[in-house]
Amino acid sequence: MKILVVKLADLGDLLISEPALRSLGLGFPKARIDVLTTPHAAVLLPDIAPGAHALTFEKASFDAPGLGAAASLRSAASLGARLRAAGYDRVAFLHHLTTTWGMTKYRALARATGASMIVGLDNGRGAFLTHRAPDRGFGYKHEAEYMLDVAVAAGGKPTHAIPVFNADQSPLPFDLPGSFVAVAPVAGAYSPARIWPAGKFADLCRQLADRGIKFVIVGGSDATPAARTILNGIDRCAGIDLTGKTTIGQLAATLKRASAVIGNDSFPTHLGAAVGTPVTTIFGPSNSRAWKPLSRHSTVVSAGLPCAPCLYTGYRLGRPDGCPSRTCLEMVTPEMVSTAVLEQLDA
């Protein structure tokens, strides 16, 4: 048995596919399971699905038709030939068929494999699927649950939908405070509208520092400017900047050692939840019902405006850039977030 799982995603989205991959591994312990994902996200695979094999494809060249369509089609044709030669029996798409282009490209991918069983979420665009899991729109259930539905429809075993990441507890190459809160102040490039202003993170960290709480700022190098803003004017003994200084394994180990994690709708908050640390996530335009970090100790802080979420709602993509004023984020105060975090620390 050879199974192809399609999840052309960034780090956070691949991480929350872990329950679906676990389900397939339980259902087909002797099968070869390949995961088609992006080069950027593929580094996660050994930690969330140790028995699976990564196939990488740069999804940016496949996301939309345009001036580079000819090159994109050549790249896609080469991928299709690789998939056909692999001889897959089943293909599981862990994606919504949100747009006409999305439906077109996944249908072409399905046909290219030649597999007899094609499984995915169906919102009315899935005529090419042989087996379906109902898609009732973004936020009807969590994305991890939707992907698990697809895995079970493909023959996987039912399992819990909370993603798990087993963090390495070996010594780290840097010192951490004995007790600290991890702060993740940025989010991925896809939707900058998810990012709570760095100045508000700075005010939040001042409040934590005034209570004697130490914090560690985490994320990639893109989070370094925000880290500088946060640390400016605060006693350097209260905070440590690890932005751009950790591997994914070291980040996971750091979050596992933290008393709590605070951040935007982003990979570090999902990773914090997956290693079992209490997480407080700030949501603005994105859909918390679909993408909140899923764990038993996950708190969402939002302004609760009637216009939010405006990104991924119902069957529509919505507004990745949010509205010009981004009122839903501006109305989230440091005091609101501090209250949520302190409740978690006191629990």
Side-chain angles (χ1 to χ4, degrees):
M1 174 74 70
K2 297 185 73 173
I3 301 171
L4 176 67
V5 177
V6 180
K7 188 59 180 174
L8 291 164
D10 290 326
L11 289 165
D13 285 330
L14 185 61
L15 175 59
I16 63 173
S17 74
E18 185 273 334
L21 297 174
R22 185 193 327 133
S23 168
L24 290 170
L26 292 170
F28 302 97
K30 297 182 179 180
R32 178 184 173 98
I33 299 176
D34 291 347
V35 180
L36 179 64
T37 191
T38 61
H40 179 59
V43 295
L44 277 180
L45 204 56
D47 291 298
I48 63 172
H53 305 267
L55 295 176
T56 60
F57 184 73
E58 188 50 71
K59 77 183 184 78
S61 64
F62 199 32
D63 275 345
L67 294 176
S72 297
L73 288 173
R74 286 194 298 271
S75 179
S78 175
L79 172 65
R82 288 170 57 200
L83 299 181
R84 171 75 69 166
Y88 293 108
D89 301 288
R90 304 182 185 207
V91 179
F93 285 96
L94 304 186
H95 290 275
H96 295 267
L97 304 175
T98 306
T99 65
T100 300
W101 175 244
M103 180 272 295
T104 300
K105 68 184 181 182
Y106 292 128
R107 181 179 60 191
L109 205 58
R111 287 179 176 174
T113 66
S116 59
M117 185 174 186
I118 307 294
V119 192
L121 293 169
D122 189 11
N123 60 5
R125 297 177 182 267
F128 67 94
L129 302 170
T130 64
H131 295 70
R132 299 167 177 82
D135 181 355
R136 295 185 172 91
F138 291 106
Y140 179 84
K141 59 173 61 178
H142 195 277
E143 288 299 293
E145 296 172 322
Y146 267 135
M147 289 187 278
L148 182 56
D149 288 348
V150 172
V152 172
K157 293 285 188 182
T159 184
H160 66 81
I162 296 177
V164 175
F165 188 104
N166 294 314
D168 183 0
Q169 291 300 291
S170 58
L172 291 167
F174 43 77
D175 293 327
L176 293 171
S179 176
F180 66 94
V181 170
V183 178
V186 300
Y190 169 69
S191 175
R194 295 175 295 171
I195 300 175
W196 200 44
K200 289 182 179 288
F201 271 110
D203 291 342
L204 169 66
C205 288
R206 288 189 191 97
Q207 292 182 19
L208 297 178
D210 288 345
R211 289 177 171 268
I213 297 172
K214 296 184 183 297
F215 55 90
V216 173
I217 308 171
V218 298
S221 57
D222 58 332
T224 300
R228 291 179 183 140
T229 298
I230 293 169
L231 291 172
N232 185 34
I234 296 178
D235 184 348
R236 291 296 175 128
C237 294
I240 297 173
D241 178 11
L242 288 184
T243 60
K245 300 173 184 175
T246 58
T247 64
I248 288 176
Q250 291 167 350
L251 174 60
T254 300
L255 299 179
K256 179 70 175 178
R257 289 165 167 83
S259 301
V261 179
I262 311 167
N264 303 292
D265 171 21
S266 62
F267 171 64
T269 50
H270 285 290
L271 186 58
V275 300
T277 302
V279 173
T280 296
T281 312
I282 302 151
F283 272 84
S286 56
N287 194 329
S288 63
R289 293 185 299 275
W291 272 284
K292 71 176 181 180
L294 198 58
S295 79
R296 295 178 179 85
H297 306 286
S298 177
T299 300
V300 168
V301 179
S302 69
L305 297 182
C307 58
C310 62
L311 171 60
Y312 286 121
T313 59
Y315 294 105
R316 301 180 63 187
L317 170 62
R319 305 173 68 169
D321 294 328
C323 67
S325 62
R326 296 180 182 169
T327 308
C328 56
L329 278 178
E330 289 293 338
M331 288 184 64
V332 175
T333 66
E335 289 74 21
M336 292 166 64
V337 181
S338 176
T339 297
V341 174
L342 291 173
E343 287 177 356
Q344 287 187 330
L345 294 175
D346 291 339

